[in-house]
Amino acid sequence: MKTSRSIEVCTPLTEYSEPPLAEVGCDLVTVPTRQGLEAVDILRRGAGEAVGPVLHDDGGDTLGFVVPPGTAAAWDVPGSTCTETNGRGLRLNPEPPVAGSDWLLPPGEADLATDPVVLRAALGEAARLIEAADGCQ
């Protein structure tokens, strides 16, 4: 699969703390932690496939993948949600954008955003792996 990267999608905002960093217009795909961690592994092992910044909540229940703006309009993957941020509160800098969260893959250590087509495939593969593993118990 081919991953596209665009500087216009989510420009990483690192190293500059003054003036305040601008917010970016990205969407956020939220999935259960177990499926999300499997998907991150799948994406990082894939040839040429890239993963953008990933948030986790401190409760350990969910992971959030930063995806390009507009993804939420067509997102239909069962067991996940995609939220339009319209730049509200999502800052791609080392500090987590939401209280009670932290970066699993922080901006600057990841691609600009995860390609939603690639993420959809990785989440599907992760769900199948989890189902197979749970069936072996």
Side-chain angles (χ1 to χ4, degrees), residues 3-6 10 12 48-54 66 92 105-115:
T3 302
S4 61
R5 293 173 69 177
S6 171
C10 296
E49 296 171 354
V51 61
V54 178
V66 174
L92 294 184
L105 293 175
E109 293 181 23
D111 276 11
L112 303 175
T114 302
D115 182 322

Side-chain angles (χ1 to χ4, degrees), residues 6-14 22 24 26 92-93 107 112:
S6 171
I7 292 177
E8 297 175 34
V9 174
C10 296
T11 305
L13 302 170
T14 58
V24 295
C26 293
L92 294 184
N93 65 39
L112 303 175

Side-chain angles (χ1 to χ4, degrees), residues 45-70:
R45 286 191 320 254
E49 296 171 354
V51 61
V54 178
L55 279 168
H56 70 85
D57 66 344
D58 287 339
D61 296 328
T62 61
L63 289 185
F65 291 83
V66 174
V67 293

Side-chain angles (χ1 to χ4, degrees), residues 79-106:
S80 68
T81 58
C82 188
T83 306
E84 292 178 337
T85 65
N86 295 324
R88 295 181 312 247
L90 184 60
R91 293 175 183 249
L92 294 184
N93 65 39
E95 294 299 317
V98 178
S101 69
D102 204 356
W103 292 108
L104 177 68
L105 293 175

